[in-house]
């Protein structure tokens, strides 16, 4: 029996959703070619020096010294409550006023989305997503059997006209209106786009009119290093239709696996029931101490500087290296740029060549749900095909490596076009 035969012998036991994607190389971001020497512009990882190691060490010691028996028990103790208070106070600064009953702390934003999927979705239920959108969130929704439909997006975020048209069409054809809209309103993954205030208001009006919920994943909302942020969707909403997701993965560290949901208490109650296995109260206690000791804001300030420097270095390198016919978004925050290469490039096909030249990225097609990425995002400059676009992240490596990575991307593009 060959290795691959052996791997296949369990196939019939997998759930349909799993079976359907066994041969889908692009699923959930797909594989990048192994390229240990290439500059990884692939993932939205924070740069390692950003981690507040000393403050976390102090927090671990303090919570163990002060309430080890509670910290290590199911449910946690006082410091878990301090984290809840810290998050609520912080949300209030963002313009989101919520009570304790409207907050659920989770093991990250992805865990939150999974619990939301379990709470609202039956197999076949429709969910609207931005086109393109964050590939791992799409996978989580897909895990719950959701039918995903893309809504166009441009540099001002989700296009409410396209959304309205889609909803009108659905209604006129007697088709079910989606239950959920999943949006990443600020510094969107993968494009870096931010939804304007007017568009936020239109989206909320449409949610009210067509009776759906808006899942607003604000993973990057606090990472603005230039200009003014529009208010979070939850701050503009008075109908209880916004389910807001937050995470400390980008502002403290992804390894602590902590995020939260702010939503109407009737929704929080049911989502809480579906967040199986409970949450990590040890980490929450540590973070409770971290917030309590006042580390959050000053650390965030430092991060903004670090990310702005990296964004500037990347744009500067793109301007100097990429061939004519290339374009890119210039976000004022977050982790990502969306690059469109000259006509004739297929970013998926070019990836092994780019890895050889010394850079990896995520091909744009992987972020689309419709036609394998062969449509949408025309306004972002990719001719509405997605194929010559890609996402690069400026969050993870040093400015010097960003320079090298972009130079390698330019070399690969030129070699590919020849
Ligand atoms: C839009 C978005 N949501 C959620 C996440 C993941 O958040 P967490 O680490 O809290 O699960 C990411 C990380 O890349 C992201 O880009």
């Amino acid at each position: 029996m060959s290795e691959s035969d052996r791997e296949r012998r369990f196939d019939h036991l997998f759930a349909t959703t799993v079976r359907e994607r066994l041969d889908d190389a692009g699923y959930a971001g797909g594989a990048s070619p192994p390229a240990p020497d290439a500059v990884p512009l692939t993932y939205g990882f924070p740069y390692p020096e950003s981690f507040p190691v000393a403050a976390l060490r102090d927090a671990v010691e303090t919570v163990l010294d002060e309430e080890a028996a509670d910290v290590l028990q199911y449910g946690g103790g006082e410091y878990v409550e301090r984290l809840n208070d810290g998050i609520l106070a912080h949300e209030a600064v963002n313009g989101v006023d919520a009570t304790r009953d409207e907050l659920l702390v989770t093991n990250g934003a992805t865990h939150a989305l999974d619990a939301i999927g379990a709470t609202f979705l039956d197999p076949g239920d429709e969910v609207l997503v931005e086109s393109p959108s964050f590939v791992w969130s799409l996978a989580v929704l897909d895990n719950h059997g959701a039918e995903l439909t893309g809504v166009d997006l441009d540099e001002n975020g989700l296009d409410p006209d396209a959304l309205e048209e889609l909803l009108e069409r659905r209604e006129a054809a007697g088709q079910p209106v989606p239950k959920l809209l999943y949006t990443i309103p600020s510094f969107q993954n993968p494009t870096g786009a931010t939804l304007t205030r007017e568009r936020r208001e239109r989206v909320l009006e449409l949610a009210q009119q067509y009776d759906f919920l808006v899942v607003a994943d604000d993973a990057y909302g606090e990472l603005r290093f230039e200009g003014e942020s529009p208010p979070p969707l939850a701050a503009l909403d008075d109908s209880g239709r916004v389910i807001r997701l937050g995470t400390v993965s980008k502002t403290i560290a992804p390894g602590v696996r902590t995020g939260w949901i702010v939503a109407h208490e009737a929704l929080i109650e049911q989502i809480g029931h579906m967040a199986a296995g409970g949450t990590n109260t040890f980490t929450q206690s540590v973070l409770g101490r971290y917030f309590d000791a006042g580390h959050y804001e000053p650390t965030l300030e430092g991060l903004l500087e670090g990310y702005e420097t990296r964004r500037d270095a990347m744009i500067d390198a793109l301007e100097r290296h990429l061939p004519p016919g290339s374009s890119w978004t210039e976000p004022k925050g977050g982790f990502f740029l969306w690059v469109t290469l000259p006509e004739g490039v297929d970013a998926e096909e070019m990836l092994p060549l780019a890895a050889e030249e010394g850079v990896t990225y995520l091909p744009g097609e992987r972020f689309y749900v419709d036609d394998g990425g062969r449509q949408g995002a025309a306004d972002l400059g990719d001719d509405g095909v997605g194929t010559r676009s890609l996402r690069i992240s400026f969050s993870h490596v040093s400015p010097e490596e960003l320079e090298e990575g972009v130079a390698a991307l330019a070399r690969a593009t030129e070699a590919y076009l020849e």
Side-chain angles (χ1 to χ4, degrees):
M1 195 187 273
S2 75
E3 189 62 35
S4 61
D5 286 341
R6 244 191 338 271
E7 281 167 13
R8 310 243 57 143
R9 84 193 143 102
F10 301 112
D11 284 8
H12 64 290
L13 297 175
F14 289 124
T16 312
T17 348
V18 177
R19 268 201 321 274
E20 281 175 358
R21 61 171 79 117
L22 286 173
D23 296 317
D24 179 359
Y27 168 67
S32 272
D37 298 328
V39 178
L41 304 183
T42 319
Y43 299 115
F45 291 2
Y47 58 98
E49 306 79 40
S50 71
F51 297 140
V53 178
L56 287 172
R57 182 182 292 121
D58 163 70
V60 170
E61 280 174 11
T62 306
V63 298
L64 286 176
D65 286 349
E66 289 186 16
E67 52 164 22
D70 286 332
V71 161
L72 297 171
Q73 189 52 276
Y74 283 112
E78 172 63 19
Y79 276 110
V80 167
E81 282 314 310
R82 294 200 196 177
L83 176 64
N84 294 329
D85 294 344
I87 291 172
L88 290 173
H90 197 69
E91 286 289 50
V93 173
N94 292 330
V96 178
D97 288 314
T99 63
R100 183 66 192 84
D101 294 337
E102 295 166 325
L103 173 71
L104 179 71
V105 176
T106 63
N107 301 330
T110 310
H111 177 222
L113 188 62
D114 191 43
I116 288 166
T119 307
F120 295 100
L121 298 178
D122 292 313
D125 276 350
E126 280 275 342
V127 178
L128 300 181
V129 297
E130 286 150 350
S131 186
S133 182
F134 177 40
V135 62
W136 278 281
S137 291
L138 301 179
V140 169
L141 293 166
D142 186 57
N143 288 346
H144 292 281
E147 289 292 327
L148 302 175
T149 301
V151 181
D152 281 351
L153 161 140
D154 59 29
E155 62 201 24
N156 293 317
L158 174 74
D159 177 357
D161 290 337
L163 175 62
E164 184 164 17
E165 208 180 290
L166 190 151
L167 293 164
E168 274 172 6
R169 240 188 299 126
R170 284 283 160 86
E171 199 177 51
Q175 291 167 338
V177 169
K179 279 186 179 168
L180 305 178
L181 165 71
Y182 171 74
T183 172
I184 306 163
S186 296
F187 312 122
Q188 200 243 12
N189 182 356
T191 61
T194 292
L195 193 65
T196 61
R197 181 185 174 124
E198 283 145 330
R199 288 188 175 196
R200 287 173 196 235
E201 285 167 352
R202 290 257 333 263
V203 167
L204 292 173
E205 280 163 25
L206 290 168
Q208 180 78 344
Q209 189 182 338
Y210 287 91
D211 188 24
F212 59 87
L213 298 171
V214 178
V215 180
D217 181 348
D218 210 17
Y220 301 94
E222 302 205 296
L223 289 171
R224 173 178 286 277
F225 26 80
E226 219 185 299
E228 288 287 307
S229 289
L233 279 151
L236 296 170
D237 171 57
D238 51 18
S239 70
R241 287 184 178 275
V242 175
I243 303 179
R244 172 173 165 79
L245 309 189
T247 176
V248 300
S249 284
K250 318 295 173 179
T251 52
I252 300 178
V256 300
R257 304 310 306 132
T258 300
W260 64 90
I261 306 175
V262 170
H264 191 285
E265 60 179 281
L267 304 181
I268 287 290
E269 191 183 351
Q270 299 312 322
I271 299 168
H273 292 317
M274 299 307 273
T279 56
N280 187 335
T281 45
F282 175 68
T283 310
Q284 286 169 33
S285 306
V286 172
L287 295 180
R289 166 69 191 173
Y290 182 91
F291 269 78
D292 220 35
H295 290 304
Y296 190 82
E297 311 282 346
T299 305
L300 184 58
E301 287 293 304
L303 292 182
L304 297 184
E305 258 180 66
Y307 288 124
E308 184 172 18
T309 306
R310 284 168 171 77
R311 191 251 349 229
D312 290 348
M314 184 168 254
I315 289 179
D316 183 51
L318 289 166
E319 279 167 358
R320 281 181 292 105
H321 293 294
L322 282 199
S326 310
S327 60
W328 51 87
T329 55
E330 297 196 356
K332 297 184 166 61
F335 278 14
F336 306 108
L337 287 176
W338 183 252
V339 175
T340 302
L341 294 172
E343 257 172 66
V345 174
D346 182 325
E348 182 76 56
E349 196 177 83
M350 192 180 87
L351 184 54
L353 176 63
E356 255 172 57
E357 286 293 345
V359 66
T360 54
Y361 55 79
L362 280 183
E365 281 184 22
R366 298 187 190 180
F367 295 88
Y368 289 86
V369 291
D370 303 318
D371 300 338
R374 303 275 162 184
Q375 62 180 19
D379 290 343
L380 291 167
D382 64 6
D383 287 352
V385 288
T387 33
R388 60 191 180 101
S389 297
L390 49 98
R391 186 195 79 176
I392 45 179
S393 155
F394 54 82
S395 60
H396 185 194
V397 299
S398 67
E400 296 72 34
E401 288 169 301
L402 287 172
E403 166 76 24
E404 276 173 42
V406 171
L409 179 64
R411 285 197 302 277
T413 307
E414 276 149 16
Y416 181 91
L417 287 171
E418 271 169 27

